[in-house]
């Protein structure tokens, strides 16, 4: 905003400024076709060639394994793979009757939602704070983005060492404060540890998207609202939040998928599903039953259930949240 415009706005009536600010925000949220692009192909050959690499990857790394898991879910196979017997729905019946599986399902739901919300809140606060940092801004970004370059297994090893009850420095501080921290023996401590490690490893991903989304919010709107007397919290709540909601919605889905599938390496490095199965999420139970206990039928049935749950929750999230998101800018 130019100084002359700011001077003119300061001299204008307060109601007129509020009306101008509201009209500007409504204009940004109004439907617009600017910026949309469409590609046209005279024939189907070039389009098929461009799509073929992705289709081949989907074929060999999604559809073929999915079909194999579906076929194994209805049979019992001996541990050496020499004989299989069709058992119908017995694998699914035994699965849902298992108390350990029901606990894994509850743990997965709690863990996925908790890490999702904590990651979004912390990443949003860090992205919001970046506008208020004058000195060492590049160092601030580098420190926050550093976990993105670290593999989940390495992240798990780091957190397992820091919170090790025998040699970990942070565990030593907790013991000095009188807290009985021991993730090797106390189930709740183990759950808290894998949750913290998973959040730390994924904050940088959300931070990148939220920072870009907040930088895309027109500065003129926030300046007009500030001149109109809106507080910083009100400007954030009524201008920034509605305009970054598409990004938040996208990150909510990505965090959900991350909590379901991509935290396997962290759990394996930190607790290996223990103690006593207290950190065995659904995806880790698929691995344990299939590759450790060699119960391929049950493992395949769990894969089918896990995939169905992921699709179901994604659809529910779209139906529940998509109506509250405005994609028109």
């Amino acid at each position: 905003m130019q100084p002359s415009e700011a001077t003119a706005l300061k001299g204008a009536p307060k109601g007129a400024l509020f009306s101008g600010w509201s009209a500007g925000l409504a204009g940004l949220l109004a439907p617009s076709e600017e910026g949309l692009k469409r590609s046209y192909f005279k024939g189907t050959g070039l389009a098929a060639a461009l799509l073929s690499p992705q289709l081949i990857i989907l074929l060999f790394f999604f559809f073929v394994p999915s079909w194999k898991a579906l076929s194994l879910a209805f049979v019992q196979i001996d541990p050496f793979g020499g004989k299989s017997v069709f058992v119908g729905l017995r694998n699914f019946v035994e699965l849902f009757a298992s108390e350990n599986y029901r606990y894994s399902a509850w743990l997965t739901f709690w863990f996925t939602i908790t890490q999702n919300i904590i990651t979004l809140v912390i990443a949003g606060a860090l992205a919001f704070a970046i506008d208020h940092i004058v000195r060492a801004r590049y160092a601030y970004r580098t420190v926050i983005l550093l976990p993105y370059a670290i593999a989940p297994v390495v992240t798990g090893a780091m957190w397992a060492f820091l919170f090790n009850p025998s040699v970990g420095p942070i565990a030593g501080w907790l013991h000095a404060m009188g807290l009985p921290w021991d993730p090797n023996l106390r189930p709740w401590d183990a759950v808290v540890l894998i949750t913290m490690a998973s959040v730390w490893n994924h904050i940088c991903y959300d931070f990148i998207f939220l920072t870009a989304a907040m930088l895309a919010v027109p500065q003129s709107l926030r300046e007009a609202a500030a001149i109109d007397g809106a507080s910083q919290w009100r400007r954030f709540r009524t201008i920034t939040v509605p305009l970054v909601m598409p990004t938040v919605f996208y990150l909510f889905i990505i965090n959900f998928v991350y909590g379901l599938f991509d935290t396997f390496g962290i759990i394996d490095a930190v607790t290996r599903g223990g103690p006593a199965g207290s950190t065995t999420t659904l995806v880790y139970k698929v691995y344990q039953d299939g590759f450790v206990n060699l119960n391929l039928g049950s493992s395949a049935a769990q894969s089918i259930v896990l995939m169905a749950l992921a699709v179901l929750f994604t659809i529910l999230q779209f139906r529940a949240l998509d109506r509250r998101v405005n994609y028109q800018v």
Side-chain angles (χ1 to χ4, degrees), residues 241-258:
V241 170
L243 293 178
V244 303
M245 277 306 292
T247 303
V248 174
F249 177 62
Y250 164 77
L251 291 176
F252 193 83
I253 301 296
I254 294 299
N255 291 350
F256 183 80
V257 176
Y258 166 78

Side-chain angles (χ1 to χ4, degrees), residues 2-328:
Q2 299 298 325
S4 57
E5 297 176 354
T7 303
L9 288 172
K10 287 180 181 177
K14 196 169 184 178
L17 288 175
F18 182 78
S19 302
W21 164 47
S22 303
L25 180 60
L28 285 178
L29 297 179
S32 173
E33 294 184 356
E34 292 184 1
L36 297 180
K37 296 180 180 179
R38 181 177 297 174
S39 299
Y40 295 93
F41 297 95
K42 295 181 180 178
T44 59
L46 179 59
L50 293 174
L51 291 175
S52 58
Q54 184 66 29
L55 293 177
I56 292 174
I57 292 174
L58 285 176
L59 176 64
F60 286 101
F61 292 98
F62 180 76
F63 289 108
V64 171
S66 298
W67 170 252
K68 189 63 177 178
L70 186 63
S71 62
L72 290 176
F74 300 96
V75 298
Q76 284 285 0
I77 304 176
D78 67 83
F80 301 101
K83 184 180 179 181
S84 63
V85 179
F86 181 76
V87 295
L89 297 176
R90 183 189 301 174
N91 288 329
F92 293 94
V93 174
E94 293 177 353
L95 199 62
F96 293 121
S98 170
E99 185 177 350
N100 292 334
Y101 186 77
R102 292 199 297 272
Y103 171 79
S104 295
W106 176 88
L107 172 67
T108 303
F109 178 77
W110 182 91
F111 169 74
T112 303
I113 297 298
T114 303
Q115 68 84 23
N116 196 340
I117 295 174
I118 295 177
T119 303
L120 278 175
V121 170
I122 296 178
L126 294 174
F128 179 76
I130 199 169
D131 283 339
H132 304 278
I133 295 178
V134 179
R135 296 181 179 178
R137 176 176 296 186
Y138 293 105
Y140 174 79
R141 291 178 180 174
T142 302
V143 170
I144 295 177
L145 297 178
L146 186 61
Y148 196 62
I150 301 176
V153 176
V154 180
T155 297
M158 289 170 47
W159 282 77
F161 168 74
L162 293 173
F163 286 88
N164 186 284
S166 301
V167 298
I170 298 180
W173 298 339
L174 295 176
H175 292 160
M177 291 187 292
L179 298 177
W181 172 266
D182 191 350
N184 296 327
L185 297 177
R186 295 163 56 88
W188 179 248
D189 292 351
V191 172
V192 171
L193 182 56
I194 63 169
T195 303
M196 290 191 299
S198 302
V199 168
W200 182 81
N201 189 245
H202 204 59
I203 279 179
C204 48
Y205 183 88
D206 290 17
F207 171 78
I208 294 172
F209 281 87
L210 289 174
T211 300
M214 290 184 183
L215 290 176
V217 176
Q219 186 68 16
S220 58
L221 281 179
R222 289 186 286 197
E223 291 177 351
I227 294 173
D228 204 26
S231 63
Q232 190 170 8
W233 165 246
R234 187 178 181 187
R235 296 198 300 271
F236 176 77
R237 182 170 55 85
T238 58
I239 297 177
T240 303
V241 170
L243 293 178
V244 303
M245 277 306 292
T247 303
V248 174
F249 177 62
Y250 164 77
L251 291 176
F252 193 83
I253 301 296
I254 294 299
N255 291 350
F256 183 80
V257 176
Y258 166 78
L260 277 181
F261 300 102
D262 294 342
T263 53
F264 174 87
I266 293 177
I267 295 173
D268 189 59
V270 176
T271 62
R272 294 185 181 276
S278 59
T279 57
T280 302
T281 59
L282 289 178
V283 67
Y284 198 79
K285 188 169 177 55
V286 169
Y287 161 76
Q288 280 191 326
D289 288 349
F291 293 93
V292 178
N293 301 326
L294 297 180
N295 190 350
L296 297 180
S298 176
S299 179
Q302 293 176 43
S303 301
I304 299 300
V305 173
L306 183 59
M307 184 171 62
L309 287 176
V311 173
L312 175 63
F313 278 111
T314 302
I315 293 174
L316 291 178
Q317 289 170 8
F318 268 97
R319 293 182 65 86
L321 301 178
D322 194 37
R323 297 173 183 175
R324 302 177 184 272
V325 178
N326 192 329
Y327 295 95
Q328 303 295 336

